[in-house]
Amino acid sequence: MTGLTTGTVLPYLLLAVVAVPFLGSVTALLPAPPGLRGRGPDQAVLRHGVTVTGAVLLLSVALAAGFDRGDPARMQATTDVPWIPALGTRFHLGVDGVSLPLLVLTALLTFLCAVHAYFRGPKGTSARGFVALLLLLEGGTLATFAVLDLLLFFLAFETVLIPMYFLIARWGGAGRERAAWKFILYTLLGSVVMLLGLLLLGLRGGTFDMVALATDSPSPIGHGTQLLAVLAIGAGLAVKTPMWPLHSWLPDAHTAAPTTGSVLLAGVLLKMGTYGFVRILLPIAPDGMRTVAPYLGALAVAGIVYGSLACLGLALPPSASPRSASPAGAGEGPGGGGGGGDGGRFGGGDLKRLIAYSSVGHMGFVLLGIASLTPTGVNGALFANIAHGLITGLLFFLVGAVKERYGTADLDRLAGVSGGALYGRAPRLGGLFAFGAVASLGLPGLAGFWGEMLALFGAFRPADGLNRPLFLVFTAVGAAGTLLTAAYLLVVVRRVCMGDREPGHSDGAVPAAPADVDASVDTDGSDGSPGASAASAEGMGAREGAQAGGRAGPHAAAHTAPAAGSGPAATAPVTATPAGTAPATATPAASASRGAAPPVFADVRGHEFAAWTPLVVLTVLAGLWPAVLLGLTDPAVQALLTGGSR
Amino acid sequence: MTSLVQSVDWLALAPPALAAGAALVVLVADLFLPERRKPLLGVLATAGLLLAGLALLPLLGGERRTFCLTTDPDTCSYVADPFALAFQFLVLGGALLTALISLHTVRDRQVPAGEYWFLLLASAAGAALLPASRDLATLVIALEVASLPVFALVGLVRDSRLSGESALKFFLSSVTATAVMLLGVSFVYAVTGALHLPRVADGLADVPPGLATLATAGVALTLVGFAFKAAAAPFHFWVPDTYIGAPVPVAGYLSVVGKAAGLAGLILVAVVAFPSHAEVWGPVVAVLAALTMTAGNAAALRQRPDRAHGAVRLLAWSSVGQAGYLLVPVAAAAYTGASGGAVGTAVAYALMYAAVNLGAFAVTALVVRARPAGRIADFRGLWAEHPLAALALAFFLLVLAGLPPGVIGLFAKAAVVSAALEAGLGWLALVTAVNVVIALVYYLRWTADLFRAPVTGTADGPADGGASATADGGADGGPATLSAVGAAAGPAESPAAGAGSATAAPRGSTKGAATGTTASGASAAPGVSAAPGGAAPLRTPVSLAAAISLAAVLGVALSGAPQLVLRFVTAALF
């Protein structure tokens, strides 16, 4: 009955951070008021998305500014009012040093996604639903990090499922329905088990309040119950994280999801799992965690090695014969719009899939840090969480941009067809991509380094009572994993940014020197393009064909160019176009062998710079001054590990 | 006042009495009203139900009893305690929603109005009487008053063979259950010599050793009858056939009010009359709950989207599954007692379920009006034609599934699971949790369908689904939407898209329409704006819209303040 405890404005800021996305989600469905109609309903609602997410970002930054850094272990900005007395559920919000960085990260990434969507436009159907779902997703994620009640946590945890499901199923690429189902079924199976565990904790502990449960000492919950609860809750969180071997929904979901979905999925949704471990299991069921920690550590390093090996397998060029029968096989529309044929998924070397597997590895480090049960390890885990959100978010943005330009994210085709590849064709994009990859492999001085190093340190000297030799083995294996990570990421950078050294394996094309063949390079998503020949069918061909048609001028399909820009939509009709026009009118290069690429296409555009720069800057900042972040998390972690925050 | 004359508290009796009175008024008025004034009967019936519901208000303060024994004023046949009031509110509210849904069905399907409204009101009166009854005879009578009119309601659509058959099936299985129940009641009476529930409880607590078997048999047989009404497995087989044969509103009524009556009876008999035999019926009800939810959800999962009456069939099976969740707290009450939160959890869950399930039936009634086949596939693209109805149905389905934004569904399920855990029924909690996931698959599949592109043969739908949807769409907005999109798509070179795969074609044309009409590509807009004009036959009747919005408002209000129903978990009910 304490109501708003702190007399300051902070509680209202936090309430607003959580509530504004939900309100924005509802209002996105309403017709725009006069004066805010913009250039059309879609533009208006996309702008609404940018406005709301921008406001949330500002609010969260204000919250961070008002946060008392001197005492990050204390729950601040708390609101605590009874909501459902019958179930003992309280509307209890608050932030401490653990949750504040995640809140800001979520607000930032969602804002960048909204900006991205504003300029690129969601593919498929109405933008209205897209924005509403995006905001619902943001609200659910922010609520997950802000709530301090077990049942409320579960509610927020579940809130993100429906929007993510629809984001994948409606705006995703090929195989999206199946991937979306897999995503939601895995997560749900995990989360109902988690509900059982949460109820068990709440019923045995006598309250659902996380802070009260964490500070109750001695804990009223016996070891057996704690173990059961850790197993049940851990299962739900591990699916979300994802922990090997429960990860198999992730690559599919990432491959099929639109750029926005991938960024948010990797950037923030996965963090909900690891956050749950730190916020709920470590302080409330410490005895249970101690029993489970060795197994958790083992699974974590298995995930590290598995993720790295899977990535290496995807990254390495096919050893002997060409991987895909038809190099022009299939491409998806820009931005991952679905519908057209797709070879990337079956070709294996899809970049999005690769980054998804790399996430399994990175989250393995996070889990290893948590399993060490030491402040060092847990701090490392939280740091790696943030770093992974920044870096993987950036990488998914970049891969989305590559996919927009090439119509594919298939590594073999990117490396093979393009010859000079990114460094030659879009140097700035290539540079950013290399930056992202190097940050991801944990180069000292960038954000990726500290988290994984601290996690390994934690495992090197695990908490008392844990089997040290076992954890030493974990440390060694994890360290080997970092080497593997470096290996595959460097392979990827070399292949994507520089192209394959022996180009013959892909389709026998000889990479041509960059040649400026086309004036229309600044057109959205146009690459003047290797495959305008009839042979390059489907998605990729469709767009290029349309481009060719556009250049042809008098052709009846002159204005299909914008239509084709919006995705795989008119696959069939446009594919017909190049057959008639391209050979006649397209550039010499295009009518020549399909691999002789004129590798000029749009480099990083203004809005893309705007969206990516914050991530780059933060990656560097977090790498150079880790103390900023660790100063926030460390006291809070110390408190959580020693009987809860005050 | 001599001691032989009971004083009847008419105020306490008002809710069922008003409903019964309204039934008689309708029956008589039917004789005198000319044919064209018959719709007035519906209004009359709705007003009667509303009045009966309002009569609950003065009772809220305390507990009223009537028809008490003159020798023992504490032993009464009718008690308006919070438990009774909650169920009466559920029953009368459910009947009111059903009435709103029915107003146009009665007109459209040429159902005899007088009979229909009389039967509905009579059944509602019985169902409202049941939760307040506190002796076995009144309980049985109330249960029969609640169910006998429904047999007739199910068979009321004269031209439908299916209707008559399902009515007969329902009737025969129900009568069998009643016979079994009466046998059980007579055994219990033989053992205890009492009919009033508290006295039965006392009697059963101290059974002479020779009669122990008889008592156990009586308890089991009595429960069977109520389990049948609540459609618990293995007494659920009548549900799907009966539901699809009945008019949609009647199916909704059966799934909510019929089930609530059965559940209320089961709780009264089990918790109030047979607490001493909890070790007998507790495990049985727990197993029944697990079986019921599993059977219902598994069958619902197997429903094909292109099967005729698929929507009602799916709702029928899902209501069997939901009955399973409802039984979980009843089973838990065997271990925690009547004063524990278990019974309240069942009440809360039933209230939540009543609002959203009737809402789902209301939207189904709306769609079935235009597309009598009533397949799940007919709901595809509802968002484009009827955005509000689609949003409402999506919300109802998500509440039933227990996923946000259906917050109340989630908390009601959490309450059910926590009741099971509290009672030490860990296995039942686990079965419930797994069932929630299974149920989610079909609820979400349906929800996702609502937002698909309208009238298409998408990857998982067979090609003939799309084709026949277009064909039978003659009466609805489907072709209008399609042709509008097609027309707009023309200039954008999309006709050739017809050569593409079934998946690509409609998408391509939508996209073409977008780029053809606006610069920024408003893809869904043309379809949406075209629909209201073209879908005139699908215009929503006011009563139906009122029913849907009432259910939606209830659902949203409960989601915002779950305490509204969940307070029963901690309230003293008896």
Side-chain angles (χ1 to χ4, degrees), chain B residues 152-240:
Chain B
L153 274 178
V154 170
L156 208 54
V157 186
R158 283 184 186 135
D159 51 353
S160 164
R161 191 187 54 82
L162 202 59
S163 173
E165 187 185 312
S166 60
L168 188 65
K169 205 180 254 182
F170 182 30
F171 177 74
L172 287 179
S173 41
S174 188
V175 163
T176 314
T178 306
V180 171
M181 178 168 57
L182 281 173
L183 189 63
V185 169
S186 62
F187 282 3
V188 170
Y189 182 66
V191 173
T192 63
L195 282 176
H196 287 91
L197 301 184
R199 296 198 161 191
V200 170
D202 291 344
L204 282 177
D206 186 23
V207 181
L211 294 176
T213 316
L214 191 63
T216 309
V219 166
L221 292 178
T222 311
L223 291 176
V224 164
F226 288 104
F228 172 86
K229 297 292 184 199
F235 315 110
H236 66 285
F237 51 84
W238 56 274
V239 168

Side-chain angles (χ1 to χ4, degrees), chain B residues 21-32 41 44 114-115 117-118:
Chain B
L24 292 177
V25 170
V26 166
L27 191 64
V28 175
D30 182 40
L31 298 175
F32 299 103
L41 293 174
L44 211 61
E115 285 89 329
W117 293 114
F118 166 72

Side-chain angles (χ1 to χ4, degrees), chain A residues 42 83 85-86 125 177 188 196 559, chain B residues 417 440 452 491 521 523 560 563 566:
Chain A
D42 276 15
W83 188 33
T125 42
E177 300 265 342
L188 262 173
L196 292 181
H559 70 289
Chain B
V417 172
L440 184 104
R452 289 247 176 84
S523 48
Q563 179 67 12
L566 288 174

Side-chain angles (χ1 to χ4, degrees), chain B residues 247-336:
Chain B
V248 174
V250 175
Y253 178 83
L254 260 178
S255 80
V256 168
V257 178
K259 200 156 289 197
L263 182 76
L266 190 65
I267 292 176
L268 282 177
V269 172
V271 177
V272 181
F274 304 155
S276 53
H277 281 58
E279 76 280 2
V280 176
W281 58 261
V284 174
V285 174
V287 171
L288 279 190
L291 279 179
T292 307
M293 64 176 89
T294 310
N297 285 326
L301 193 63
R302 284 174 42 239
Q303 296 304 313
R304 313 286 327 157
D306 49 346
R307 190 165 172 199
H309 305 294
V312 174
R313 212 182 281 270
L314 186 107
L315 283 175
W317 282 117
S318 101
S319 81
V320 174
Q322 300 278 350
Y325 305 144
L326 279 169
L327 288 176
V328 171
V330 182
Y335 301 88
T336 57

